[in-house]
Amino acid sequence: MSVSVKDKVVIVTGAGRGIGRAYAEELAGEGAKVVVAEIVENAGKDTVQAITGKGGEAFFIRTDVTDFETCKKMAEDAVSKYGAIDALINNAALYGIDTRSLFQIPDEEWDRMMNINVKGIWHCIKAVLPQMTKQGKGKIINVSSGVALRGVPFLLHYVASKGAVYSMTKALAMELPLITKANITVNSICPGLTFTQASIDMMVGHEKAIDVNIADQCLKRKEMPDDLVGAVHFLVSDASDFMTGASIVVDGGAARY
Ligand SMILES: NC(=O)c1ccc[n+]([C@@H]2O[C@H](COP(=O)([O-])OP(=O)(O)OC[C@H]3O[C@@H](n4cnc5c(N)ncnc54)[C@H](O)[C@@H]3O)[C@@H](O)[C@H]2O)c1
């Protein structure tokens, strides 16, 4: 069973920056054909340029995961350009937000959180399923978070959304083979606090929380986007073909259960 991702067609949502961009660049560097599905056009195109500049294969499609029509177009364009969809990485999320108590979360922000982080995943999965069914195989990787396992204060809507992603993964792992009769696997990854621009901005004024977080980890250093790409690479490859409904925690040993 190969751990290679060469020639795999992989859609990465929210690949314009941060961890999604690291997934896109790593997979393309290993020979995958990457669809950069991102709401911010400049950011998405920048990721494509970084990949193609190094001889990799990628294209950008403006995608708003809250808008099912753009998700459908994302899947259609992936198939018309590369002829398949081997894997979907549901990474796009509303993440870089102000921390505040449950009383201060605006109603609109709660709804936007659920729309992007939860409904967005449902949309993208519905969009790729016809092609994965036709292929008889597909891999879906949902990005949850260590906060779904450990909790964190002052981000209630975000934590709730990532808990939903964690649980949806298990339900989808059961349901998709039943409705498609195809070998479609659904797994999630739970990163710990990872140093992207979004988390750096969020932690301004909360520097002590960074030290507390690192103290909780077995490995006493900051987690970086590159720390996550190995697990995702494995989940995209054929080596994980019989693994589904699982969650891989990559957090330096902060959540140990
Ligand atoms: N950074 C961390 O500490 C951390 C920890 C655990 C989990 N995560 C998760 O990892 C993922 C990436 O985190 P990050 O730190 O790189 O965040 P980020 O904010 O840097 O990246 C999110 C990307 O998603 C895109 N996006 C937002 N809304 C979208 C929409 N409606 N449609 C399409 N794209 C959209 C953004 O433009 C951005 O490029 C997220 O799912 C996040 O919840 C992050």
Side-chain angles (χ1 to χ4, degrees), residues 13-20 37-40 63-66 90-96 116-117 143-146 158 162 191-196 198-199:
T13 67
R17 67 175 204 172
I19 301 172
E38 164 65 53
I39 194 167
V40 181
T63 310
D64 175 356
V65 298
T66 69
N90 280 312
N91 166 82
L94 179 57
Y95 170 62
I116 299 174
N117 295 15
V143 179
S144 177
S145 168
Y158 177 73
K162 290 298 173 177
L193 174 63
T194 306
F195 283 77
T196 61
S199 47

PDB file of all heavy atoms in Angstrom, residues 13-20 37-40 63-66 90-96 116-117 143-146 158 162 191-196 198-199, ligand 1:
ATOM      1  N   THR A  13      -9.869  23.326   0.703  1.00  0.00           N
ATOM      2  CA  THR A  13     -10.622  24.569   0.896  1.00  0.00           C
ATOM      3  C   THR A  13      -9.857  25.464   1.883  1.00  0.00           C
ATOM      4  O   THR A  13      -9.137  24.975   2.762  1.00  0.00           O
ATOM      5  CB  THR A  13     -12.054  24.302   1.421  1.00  0.00           C
ATOM      6  OG1 THR A  13     -11.990  23.779   2.743  1.00  0.00           O
ATOM      7  CG2 THR A  13     -12.810  23.343   0.514  1.00  0.00           C
ATOM      8  N   GLY A  14      -9.995  26.766   1.674  1.00  0.00           N
ATOM      9  CA  GLY A  14      -9.291  27.719   2.547  1.00  0.00           C
ATOM     10  C   GLY A  14      -7.780  27.609   2.421  1.00  0.00           C
ATOM     11  O   GLY A  14      -7.054  27.788   3.395  1.00  0.00           O
ATOM     12  N   ALA A  15      -7.315  27.336   1.188  1.00  0.00           N
ATOM     13  CA  ALA A  15      -5.870  27.120   0.981  1.00  0.00           C
ATOM     14  C   ALA A  15      -5.123  28.410   0.654  1.00  0.00           C
ATOM     15  O   ALA A  15      -3.971  28.372   0.241  1.00  0.00           O
ATOM     16  CB  ALA A  15      -5.650  26.083  -0.124  1.00  0.00           C
ATOM     17  N   GLY A  16      -5.775  29.545   0.868  1.00  0.00           N
ATOM     18  CA  GLY A  16      -5.123  30.822   0.547  1.00  0.00           C
ATOM     19  C   GLY A  16      -4.073  31.239   1.545  1.00  0.00           C
ATOM     20  O   GLY A  16      -3.225  32.083   1.250  1.00  0.00           O
ATOM     21  N   ARG A  17      -4.152  30.700   2.734  1.00  0.00           N
ATOM     22  CA  ARG A  17      -3.149  31.080   3.740  1.00  0.00           C
ATOM     23  C   ARG A  17      -3.101  30.034   4.850  1.00  0.00           C
ATOM     24  O   ARG A  17      -3.870  29.061   4.830  1.00  0.00           O
ATOM     25  CB  ARG A  17      -3.459  32.449   4.323  1.00  0.00           C
ATOM     26  CG  ARG A  17      -4.731  32.507   5.157  1.00  0.00           C
ATOM     27  CD  ARG A  17      -4.904  33.871   5.809  1.00  0.00           C
ATOM     28  NE  ARG A  17      -5.745  33.771   6.993  1.00  0.00           N
ATOM     29  CZ  ARG A  17      -5.951  34.761   7.851  1.00  0.00           C
ATOM     30  NH1 ARG A  17      -5.375  35.934   7.648  1.00  0.00           N
ATOM     31  NH2 ARG A  17      -6.715  34.595   8.897  1.00  0.00           N
ATOM     32  N   GLY A  18      -2.201  30.228   5.771  1.00  0.00           N
ATOM     33  CA  GLY A  18      -2.151  29.414   6.985  1.00  0.00           C
ATOM     34  C   GLY A  18      -1.943  27.925   6.733  1.00  0.00           C
ATOM     35  O   GLY A  18      -1.162  27.520   5.865  1.00  0.00           O
ATOM     36  N   ILE A  19      -2.673  27.139   7.493  1.00  0.00           N
ATOM     37  CA  ILE A  19      -2.479  25.683   7.462  1.00  0.00           C
ATOM     38  C   ILE A  19      -2.932  25.109   6.119  1.00  0.00           C
ATOM     39  O   ILE A  19      -2.305  24.195   5.577  1.00  0.00           O
ATOM     40  CB  ILE A  19      -3.246  25.013   8.628  1.00  0.00           C
ATOM     41  CG1 ILE A  19      -2.763  25.565   9.980  1.00  0.00           C
ATOM     42  CG2 ILE A  19      -3.064  23.515   8.593  1.00  0.00           C
ATOM     43  CD1 ILE A  19      -3.593  25.102  11.186  1.00  0.00           C
ATOM     44  N   GLY A  20      -4.031  25.642   5.564  1.00  0.00           N
ATOM     45  CA  GLY A  20      -4.515  25.151   4.266  1.00  0.00           C
ATOM     46  C   GLY A  20      -3.472  25.325   3.179  1.00  0.00           C
ATOM     47  O   GLY A  20      -3.291  24.454   2.321  1.00  0.00           O
ATOM     48  N   ALA A  37      -9.253  25.987  -3.352  1.00  0.00           N
ATOM     49  CA  ALA A  37     -10.633  26.490  -3.267  1.00  0.00           C
ATOM     50  C   ALA A  37     -10.698  27.491  -2.117  1.00  0.00           C
ATOM     51  O   ALA A  37     -10.659  27.097  -0.954  1.00  0.00           O
ATOM     52  CB  ALA A  37     -11.590  25.324  -3.032  1.00  0.00           C
ATOM     53  N   GLU A  38     -10.782  28.754  -2.462  1.00  0.00           N
ATOM     54  CA  GLU A  38     -10.587  29.803  -1.453  1.00  0.00           C
ATOM     55  C   GLU A  38     -11.516  30.972  -1.757  1.00  0.00           C
ATOM     56  O   GLU A  38     -11.768  31.283  -2.914  1.00  0.00           O
ATOM     57  CB  GLU A  38      -9.093  30.211  -1.506  1.00  0.00           C
ATOM     58  CG  GLU A  38      -8.695  31.497  -0.839  1.00  0.00           C
ATOM     59  CD  GLU A  38      -8.869  31.508   0.679  1.00  0.00           C
ATOM     60  OE1 GLU A  38      -8.364  30.622   1.376  1.00  0.00           O
ATOM     61  OE2 GLU A  38      -9.557  32.432   1.145  1.00  0.00           O
ATOM     62  N   ILE A  39     -11.998  31.628  -0.691  1.00  0.00           N
ATOM     63  CA  ILE A  39     -12.912  32.764  -0.891  1.00  0.00           C
ATOM     64  C   ILE A  39     -12.155  34.042  -1.258  1.00  0.00           C
ATOM     65  O   ILE A  39     -12.680  34.888  -1.976  1.00  0.00           O
ATOM     66  CB  ILE A  39     -13.803  32.969   0.366  1.00  0.00           C
ATOM     67  CG1 ILE A  39     -14.969  33.893   0.052  1.00  0.00           C
ATOM     68  CG2 ILE A  39     -13.003  33.478   1.554  1.00  0.00           C
ATOM     69  CD1 ILE A  39     -16.056  33.905   1.111  1.00  0.00           C
ATOM     70  N   VAL A  40     -10.918  34.177  -0.792  1.00  0.00           N
ATOM     71  CA  VAL A  40     -10.133  35.399  -1.057  1.00  0.00           C
ATOM     72  C   VAL A  40      -9.280  35.161  -2.306  1.00  0.00           C
ATOM     73  O   VAL A  40      -8.311  34.398  -2.275  1.00  0.00           O
ATOM     74  CB  VAL A  40      -9.244  35.772   0.154  1.00  0.00           C
ATOM     75  CG1 VAL A  40      -8.463  37.055  -0.125  1.00  0.00           C
ATOM     76  CG2 VAL A  40     -10.089  35.918   1.417  1.00  0.00           C
ATOM     77  N   THR A  63     -14.138  29.959  -4.224  1.00  0.00           N
ATOM     78  CA  THR A  63     -15.175  29.145  -3.592  1.00  0.00           C
ATOM     79  C   THR A  63     -15.569  29.771  -2.265  1.00  0.00           C
ATOM     80  O   THR A  63     -14.701  30.093  -1.448  1.00  0.00           O
ATOM     81  CB  THR A  63     -14.622  27.716  -3.314  1.00  0.00           C
ATOM     82  OG1 THR A  63     -14.031  27.207  -4.503  1.00  0.00           O
ATOM     83  CG2 THR A  63     -15.714  26.774  -2.838  1.00  0.00           C
ATOM     84  N   ASP A  64     -16.869  29.934  -2.090  1.00  0.00           N
ATOM     85  CA  ASP A  64     -17.385  30.327  -0.777  1.00  0.00           C
ATOM     86  C   ASP A  64     -18.116  29.102  -0.258  1.00  0.00           C
ATOM     87  O   ASP A  64     -19.174  28.732  -0.789  1.00  0.00           O
ATOM     88  CB  ASP A  64     -18.334  31.530  -0.932  1.00  0.00           C
ATOM     89  CG  ASP A  64     -18.995  31.902   0.391  1.00  0.00           C
ATOM     90  OD1 ASP A  64     -18.783  31.197   1.399  1.00  0.00           O
ATOM     91  OD2 ASP A  64     -19.738  32.910   0.407  1.00  0.00           O
ATOM     92  N   VAL A  65     -17.583  28.467   0.753  1.00  0.00           N
ATOM     93  CA  VAL A  65     -18.158  27.186   1.196  1.00  0.00           C
ATOM     94  C   VAL A  65     -19.580  27.344   1.734  1.00  0.00           C
ATOM     95  O   VAL A  65     -20.305  26.354   1.869  1.00  0.00           O
ATOM     96  CB  VAL A  65     -17.260  26.452   2.232  1.00  0.00           C
ATOM     97  CG1 VAL A  65     -15.914  26.097   1.630  1.00  0.00           C
ATOM     98  CG2 VAL A  65     -17.099  27.259   3.519  1.00  0.00           C
ATOM     99  N   THR A  66     -19.998  28.588   2.035  1.00  0.00           N
ATOM    100  CA  THR A  66     -21.384  28.795   2.489  1.00  0.00           C
ATOM    101  C   THR A  66     -22.365  28.840   1.317  1.00  0.00           C
ATOM    102  O   THR A  66     -23.571  28.865   1.532  1.00  0.00           O
ATOM    103  CB  THR A  66     -21.539  30.105   3.314  1.00  0.00           C
ATOM    104  OG1 THR A  66     -21.363  31.222   2.448  1.00  0.00           O
ATOM    105  CG2 THR A  66     -20.543  30.172   4.452  1.00  0.00           C
ATOM    106  N   ASN A  90     -11.442  19.534   3.936  1.00  0.00           N
ATOM    107  CA  ASN A  90     -12.341  20.594   4.407  1.00  0.00           C
ATOM    108  C   ASN A  90     -11.630  21.393   5.492  1.00  0.00           C
ATOM    109  O   ASN A  90     -11.795  21.143   6.691  1.00  0.00           O
ATOM    110  CB  ASN A  90     -13.627  19.963   4.955  1.00  0.00           C
ATOM    111  CG  ASN A  90     -14.575  19.579   3.844  1.00  0.00           C
ATOM    112  OD1 ASN A  90     -14.838  20.364   2.935  1.00  0.00           O
ATOM    113  ND2 ASN A  90     -15.095  18.355   3.918  1.00  0.00           N
ATOM    114  N   ASN A  91     -10.844  22.366   5.032  1.00  0.00           N
ATOM    115  CA  ASN A  91     -10.010  23.154   5.950  1.00  0.00           C
ATOM    116  C   ASN A  91     -10.547  24.562   6.195  1.00  0.00           C
ATOM    117  O   ASN A  91     -10.279  25.160   7.235  1.00  0.00           O
ATOM    118  CB  ASN A  91      -8.587  23.217   5.349  1.00  0.00           C
ATOM    119  CG  ASN A  91      -7.722  24.270   6.012  1.00  0.00           C
ATOM    120  OD1 ASN A  91      -7.145  24.042   7.071  1.00  0.00           O
ATOM    121  ND2 ASN A  91      -7.610  25.448   5.389  1.00  0.00           N
ATOM    122  N   ALA A  92     -11.327  25.109   5.239  1.00  0.00           N
ATOM    123  CA  ALA A  92     -11.801  26.498   5.357  1.00  0.00           C
ATOM    124  C   ALA A  92     -12.606  26.662   6.645  1.00  0.00           C
ATOM    125  O   ALA A  92     -13.397  25.793   7.015  1.00  0.00           O
ATOM    126  CB  ALA A  92     -12.675  26.864   4.166  1.00  0.00           C
ATOM    127  N   ALA A  93     -12.390  27.777   7.298  1.00  0.00           N
ATOM    128  CA  ALA A  93     -13.130  28.019   8.541  1.00  0.00           C
ATOM    129  C   ALA A  93     -13.062  29.484   8.910  1.00  0.00           C
ATOM    130  O   ALA A  93     -12.172  30.212   8.475  1.00  0.00           O
ATOM    131  CB  ALA A  93     -12.538  27.188   9.681  1.00  0.00           C
ATOM    132  N   LEU A  94     -14.020  29.874   9.734  1.00  0.00           N
ATOM    133  CA  LEU A  94     -13.935  31.161  10.410  1.00  0.00           C
ATOM    134  C   LEU A  94     -13.149  30.887  11.677  1.00  0.00           C
ATOM    135  O   LEU A  94     -13.606  30.131  12.548  1.00  0.00           O
ATOM    136  CB  LEU A  94     -15.347  31.679  10.736  1.00  0.00           C
ATOM    137  CG  LEU A  94     -15.421  33.016  11.482  1.00  0.00           C
ATOM    138  CD1 LEU A  94     -14.700  34.117  10.707  1.00  0.00           C
ATOM    139  CD2 LEU A  94     -16.875  33.401  11.724  1.00  0.00           C
ATOM    140  N   TYR A  95     -11.951  31.444  11.764  1.00  0.00           N
ATOM    141  CA  TYR A  95     -11.089  31.119  12.910  1.00  0.00           C
ATOM    142  C   TYR A  95     -10.534  32.372  13.596  1.00  0.00           C
ATOM    143  O   TYR A  95     -10.666  32.513  14.799  1.00  0.00           O
ATOM    144  CB  TYR A  95      -9.970  30.172  12.462  1.00  0.00           C
ATOM    145  CG  TYR A  95      -8.909  29.993  13.517  1.00  0.00           C
ATOM    146  CD1 TYR A  95      -9.231  29.437  14.757  1.00  0.00           C
ATOM    147  CD2 TYR A  95      -7.594  30.396  13.297  1.00  0.00           C
ATOM    148  CE1 TYR A  95      -8.270  29.301  15.738  1.00  0.00           C
ATOM    149  CE2 TYR A  95      -6.631  30.262  14.275  1.00  0.00           C
ATOM    150  CZ  TYR A  95      -6.966  29.717  15.505  1.00  0.00           C
ATOM    151  OH  TYR A  95      -6.018  29.599  16.474  1.00  0.00           O
ATOM    152  N   GLY A  96      -9.948  33.282  12.839  1.00  0.00           N
ATOM    153  CA  GLY A  96      -9.301  34.442  13.460  1.00  0.00           C
ATOM    154  C   GLY A  96     -10.321  35.463  13.958  1.00  0.00           C
ATOM    155  O   GLY A  96     -10.582  36.461  13.299  1.00  0.00           O
ATOM    156  N   ILE A 116     -20.095  28.712   8.045  1.00  0.00           N
ATOM    157  CA  ILE A 116     -18.808  28.421   7.382  1.00  0.00           C
ATOM    158  C   ILE A 116     -18.262  27.077   7.871  1.00  0.00           C
ATOM    159  O   ILE A 116     -17.944  26.190   7.069  1.00  0.00           O
ATOM    160  CB  ILE A 116     -17.782  29.549   7.658  1.00  0.00           C
ATOM    161  CG1 ILE A 116     -18.290  30.884   7.112  1.00  0.00           C
ATOM    162  CG2 ILE A 116     -16.422  29.204   7.033  1.00  0.00           C
ATOM    163  CD1 ILE A 116     -17.420  32.089   7.452  1.00  0.00           C
ATOM    164  N   ASN A 117     -18.163  26.918   9.191  1.00  0.00           N
ATOM    165  CA  ASN A 117     -17.402  25.782   9.738  1.00  0.00           C
ATOM    166  C   ASN A 117     -18.152  24.448   9.683  1.00  0.00           C
ATOM    167  O   ASN A 117     -17.522  23.392   9.640  1.00  0.00           O
ATOM    168  CB  ASN A 117     -17.017  26.073  11.194  1.00  0.00           C
ATOM    169  CG  ASN A 117     -16.059  27.247  11.318  1.00  0.00           C
ATOM    170  OD1 ASN A 117     -15.897  28.016  10.382  1.00  0.00           O
ATOM    171  ND2 ASN A 117     -15.444  27.406  12.469  1.00  0.00           N
ATOM    172  N   VAL A 143     -11.219  19.152   8.921  1.00  0.00           N
ATOM    173  CA  VAL A 143     -10.339  19.763   9.911  1.00  0.00           C
ATOM    174  C   VAL A 143     -11.179  20.176  11.133  1.00  0.00           C
ATOM    175  O   VAL A 143     -11.968  21.109  11.068  1.00  0.00           O
ATOM    176  CB  VAL A 143      -9.564  20.961   9.327  1.00  0.00           C
ATOM    177  CG1 VAL A 143      -8.679  21.584  10.403  1.00  0.00           C
ATOM    178  CG2 VAL A 143      -8.727  20.507   8.133  1.00  0.00           C
ATOM    179  N   SER A 144     -11.005  19.417  12.205  1.00  0.00           N
ATOM    180  CA  SER A 144     -11.635  19.765  13.480  1.00  0.00           C
ATOM    181  C   SER A 144     -10.597  20.539  14.287  1.00  0.00           C
ATOM    182  O   SER A 144      -9.864  21.370  13.729  1.00  0.00           O
ATOM    183  CB  SER A 144     -12.107  18.487  14.190  1.00  0.00           C
ATOM    184  OG  SER A 144     -12.645  18.781  15.454  1.00  0.00           O
ATOM    185  N   SER A 145     -10.476  20.292  15.561  1.00  0.00           N
ATOM    186  CA  SER A 145      -9.502  21.020  16.383  1.00  0.00           C
ATOM    187  C   SER A 145      -9.362  20.334  17.730  1.00  0.00           C
ATOM    188  O   SER A 145     -10.313  19.697  18.216  1.00  0.00           O
ATOM    189  CB  SER A 145      -9.979  22.457  16.607  1.00  0.00           C
ATOM    190  OG  SER A 145      -9.188  23.073  17.605  1.00  0.00           O
ATOM    191  N   GLY A 146      -8.206  20.524  18.333  1.00  0.00           N
ATOM    192  CA  GLY A 146      -8.004  20.042  19.702  1.00  0.00           C
ATOM    193  C   GLY A 146      -9.010  20.655  20.667  1.00  0.00           C
ATOM    194  O   GLY A 146      -9.313  20.056  21.700  1.00  0.00           O
ATOM    195  N   TYR A 158     -16.967  28.826  18.210  1.00  0.00           N
ATOM    196  CA  TYR A 158     -15.908  28.123  17.468  1.00  0.00           C
ATOM    197  C   TYR A 158     -15.744  26.690  17.989  1.00  0.00           C
ATOM    198  O   TYR A 158     -15.686  25.736  17.206  1.00  0.00           O
ATOM    199  CB  TYR A 158     -14.587  28.907  17.588  1.00  0.00           C
ATOM    200  CG  TYR A 158     -13.427  28.216  16.903  1.00  0.00           C
ATOM    201  CD1 TYR A 158     -13.333  28.187  15.512  1.00  0.00           C
ATOM    202  CD2 TYR A 158     -12.443  27.563  17.642  1.00  0.00           C
ATOM    203  CE1 TYR A 158     -12.281  27.536  14.878  1.00  0.00           C
ATOM    204  CE2 TYR A 158     -11.386  26.911  17.017  1.00  0.00           C
ATOM    205  CZ  TYR A 158     -11.318  26.904  15.639  1.00  0.00           C
ATOM    206  OH  TYR A 158     -10.275  26.248  15.010  1.00  0.00           O
ATOM    207  N   LYS A 162     -16.360  23.104  15.965  1.00  0.00           N
ATOM    208  CA  LYS A 162     -15.334  22.069  15.753  1.00  0.00           C
ATOM    209  C   LYS A 162     -15.765  20.733  16.378  1.00  0.00           C
ATOM    210  O   LYS A 162     -15.391  19.658  15.900  1.00  0.00           O
ATOM    211  CB  LYS A 162     -13.980  22.548  16.302  1.00  0.00           C
ATOM    212  CG  LYS A 162     -13.380  23.684  15.475  1.00  0.00           C
ATOM    213  CD  LYS A 162     -13.098  23.236  14.038  1.00  0.00           C
ATOM    214  CE  LYS A 162     -12.654  24.343  13.136  1.00  0.00           C
ATOM    215  NZ  LYS A 162     -12.314  23.895  11.767  1.00  0.00           N
ATOM    216  N   PRO A 191      -5.846  19.633  14.980  1.00  0.00           N
ATOM    217  CA  PRO A 191      -4.588  20.333  15.299  1.00  0.00           C
ATOM    218  C   PRO A 191      -4.682  20.986  16.673  1.00  0.00           C
ATOM    219  O   PRO A 191      -5.770  21.358  17.130  1.00  0.00           O
ATOM    220  CB  PRO A 191      -4.506  21.430  14.223  1.00  0.00           C
ATOM    221  CG  PRO A 191      -5.566  21.122  13.208  1.00  0.00           C
ATOM    222  CD  PRO A 191      -6.617  20.330  13.935  1.00  0.00           C
ATOM    223  N   GLY A 192      -3.540  21.122  17.324  1.00  0.00           N
ATOM    224  CA  GLY A 192      -3.474  21.952  18.528  1.00  0.00           C
ATOM    225  C   GLY A 192      -3.270  23.401  18.123  1.00  0.00           C
ATOM    226  O   GLY A 192      -3.353  23.743  16.932  1.00  0.00           O
ATOM    227  N   LEU A 193      -3.017  24.267  19.094  1.00  0.00           N
ATOM    228  CA  LEU A 193      -2.774  25.681  18.787  1.00  0.00           C
ATOM    229  C   LEU A 193      -1.565  25.785  17.851  1.00  0.00           C
ATOM    230  O   LEU A 193      -0.450  25.411  18.213  1.00  0.00           O
ATOM    231  CB  LEU A 193      -2.501  26.470  20.073  1.00  0.00           C
ATOM    232  CG  LEU A 193      -2.102  27.931  19.876  1.00  0.00           C
ATOM    233  CD1 LEU A 193      -3.220  28.735  19.206  1.00  0.00           C
ATOM    234  CD2 LEU A 193      -1.714  28.568  21.217  1.00  0.00           C
ATOM    235  N   THR A 194      -1.825  26.247  16.636  1.00  0.00           N
ATOM    236  CA  THR A 194      -0.806  26.251  15.577  1.00  0.00           C
ATOM    237  C   THR A 194      -0.519  27.690  15.176  1.00  0.00           C
ATOM    238  O   THR A 194      -1.452  28.487  15.000  1.00  0.00           O
ATOM    239  CB  THR A 194      -1.325  25.459  14.357  1.00  0.00           C
ATOM    240  OG1 THR A 194      -1.720  24.163  14.800  1.00  0.00           O
ATOM    241  CG2 THR A 194      -0.262  25.305  13.292  1.00  0.00           C
ATOM    242  N   PHE A 195       0.745  28.004  15.003  1.00  0.00           N
ATOM    243  CA  PHE A 195       1.126  29.403  14.782  1.00  0.00           C
ATOM    244  C   PHE A 195       0.984  29.825  13.322  1.00  0.00           C
ATOM    245  O   PHE A 195       1.906  29.762  12.535  1.00  0.00           O
ATOM    246  CB  PHE A 195       2.509  29.676  15.391  1.00  0.00           C
ATOM    247  CG  PHE A 195       2.359  29.812  16.877  1.00  0.00           C
ATOM    248  CD1 PHE A 195       2.189  28.675  17.662  1.00  0.00           C
ATOM    249  CD2 PHE A 195       2.251  31.048  17.480  1.00  0.00           C
ATOM    250  CE1 PHE A 195       1.943  28.780  19.033  1.00  0.00           C
ATOM    251  CE2 PHE A 195       2.013  31.157  18.846  1.00  0.00           C
ATOM    252  CZ  PHE A 195       1.860  30.028  19.616  1.00  0.00           C
ATOM    253  N   THR A 196      -0.227  30.266  13.006  1.00  0.00           N
ATOM    254  CA  THR A 196      -0.532  30.903  11.721  1.00  0.00           C
ATOM    255  C   THR A 196      -0.784  32.381  12.023  1.00  0.00           C
ATOM    256  O   THR A 196      -0.930  32.754  13.189  1.00  0.00           O
ATOM    257  CB  THR A 196      -1.798  30.293  11.104  1.00  0.00           C
ATOM    258  OG1 THR A 196      -2.897  30.506  11.996  1.00  0.00           O
ATOM    259  CG2 THR A 196      -1.640  28.816  10.833  1.00  0.00           C
ATOM    260  N   ALA A 198      -3.466  33.943  11.666  1.00  0.00           N
ATOM    261  CA  ALA A 198      -4.770  34.054  12.345  1.00  0.00           C
ATOM    262  C   ALA A 198      -4.618  33.827  13.849  1.00  0.00           C
ATOM    263  O   ALA A 198      -5.162  34.589  14.652  1.00  0.00           O
ATOM    264  CB  ALA A 198      -5.757  33.050  11.749  1.00  0.00           C
ATOM    265  N   SER A 199      -3.866  32.798  14.231  1.00  0.00           N
ATOM    266  CA  SER A 199      -3.756  32.548  15.676  1.00  0.00           C
ATOM    267  C   SER A 199      -2.827  33.564  16.341  1.00  0.00           C
ATOM    268  O   SER A 199      -3.075  33.962  17.484  1.00  0.00           O
ATOM    269  CB  SER A 199      -3.351  31.106  15.985  1.00  0.00           C
ATOM    270  OG  SER A 199      -2.302  30.699  15.205  1.00  0.00           O
TER     271      SER A 199
HETATM  272  N1  LIG B   1      -4.334  27.766  13.737  1.00  0.00           N
HETATM  273  C1  LIG B   1      -4.728  27.001  14.763  1.00  0.00           C
HETATM  274  O1  LIG B   1      -4.260  27.123  15.904  1.00  0.00           O
HETATM  275  C2  LIG B   1      -5.758  25.929  14.541  1.00  0.00           C
HETATM  276  C3  LIG B   1      -5.944  24.947  15.524  1.00  0.00           C
HETATM  277  C4  LIG B   1      -6.898  23.948  15.331  1.00  0.00           C
HETATM  278  C5  LIG B   1      -7.629  23.923  14.157  1.00  0.00           C
HETATM  279  N2  LIG B   1      -7.424  24.901  13.211  1.00  0.00           N
HETATM  280  C6  LIG B   1      -8.220  24.831  12.001  1.00  0.00           C
HETATM  281  O2  LIG B   1      -7.338  24.724  10.897  1.00  0.00           O
HETATM  282  C7  LIG B   1      -7.916  25.381   9.761  1.00  0.00           C
HETATM  283  C8  LIG B   1      -6.970  26.442   9.239  1.00  0.00           C
HETATM  284  O3  LIG B   1      -6.612  27.338  10.283  1.00  0.00           O
HETATM  285  P1  LIG B   1      -5.686  28.618   9.987  1.00  0.00           P
HETATM  286  O4  LIG B   1      -5.032  28.987  11.272  1.00  0.00           O
HETATM  287  O5  LIG B   1      -4.844  28.346   8.788  1.00  0.00           O
HETATM  288  O6  LIG B   1      -6.827  29.711   9.681  1.00  0.00           O
HETATM  289  P2  LIG B   1      -6.841  30.905   8.586  1.00  0.00           P
HETATM  290  O7  LIG B   1      -7.878  31.853   9.062  1.00  0.00           O
HETATM  291  O8  LIG B   1      -5.453  31.400   8.377  1.00  0.00           O
HETATM  292  O9  LIG B   1      -7.290  30.169   7.252  1.00  0.00           O
HETATM  293  C9  LIG B   1      -8.635  29.926   6.937  1.00  0.00           C
HETATM  294  C10 LIG B   1      -8.796  30.061   5.436  1.00  0.00           C
HETATM  295  O10 LIG B   1     -10.163  29.782   5.114  1.00  0.00           O
HETATM  296  C11 LIG B   1     -10.615  30.761   4.200  1.00  0.00           C
HETATM  297  N3  LIG B   1     -12.069  30.911   4.291  1.00  0.00           N
HETATM  298  C12 LIG B   1     -12.793  31.522   5.275  1.00  0.00           C
HETATM  299  N4  LIG B   1     -14.087  31.509   4.983  1.00  0.00           N
HETATM  300  C13 LIG B   1     -14.224  30.851   3.801  1.00  0.00           C
HETATM  301  C14 LIG B   1     -15.333  30.513   2.990  1.00  0.00           C
HETATM  302  N5  LIG B   1     -16.580  30.868   3.335  1.00  0.00           N
HETATM  303  N6  LIG B   1     -15.116  29.812   1.857  1.00  0.00           N
HETATM  304  C15 LIG B   1     -13.853  29.454   1.501  1.00  0.00           C
HETATM  305  N7  LIG B   1     -12.758  29.783   2.208  1.00  0.00           N
HETATM  306  C16 LIG B   1     -12.942  30.465   3.363  1.00  0.00           C
HETATM  307  C17 LIG B   1      -9.886  32.044   4.624  1.00  0.00           C
HETATM  308  O11 LIG B   1      -9.898  33.038   3.622  1.00  0.00           O
HETATM  309  C18 LIG B   1      -8.502  31.492   4.934  1.00  0.00           C
HETATM  310  O12 LIG B   1      -7.698  31.438   3.795  1.00  0.00           O
HETATM  311  C19 LIG B   1      -9.250  25.919  10.239  1.00  0.00           C
HETATM  312  O13 LIG B   1     -10.257  24.958   9.984  1.00  0.00           O
HETATM  313  C20 LIG B   1      -9.053  26.076  11.714  1.00  0.00           C
HETATM  314  O14 LIG B   1     -10.282  26.062  12.428  1.00  0.00           O
HETATM  315  C21 LIG B   1      -6.526  25.888  13.378  1.00  0.00           C
END
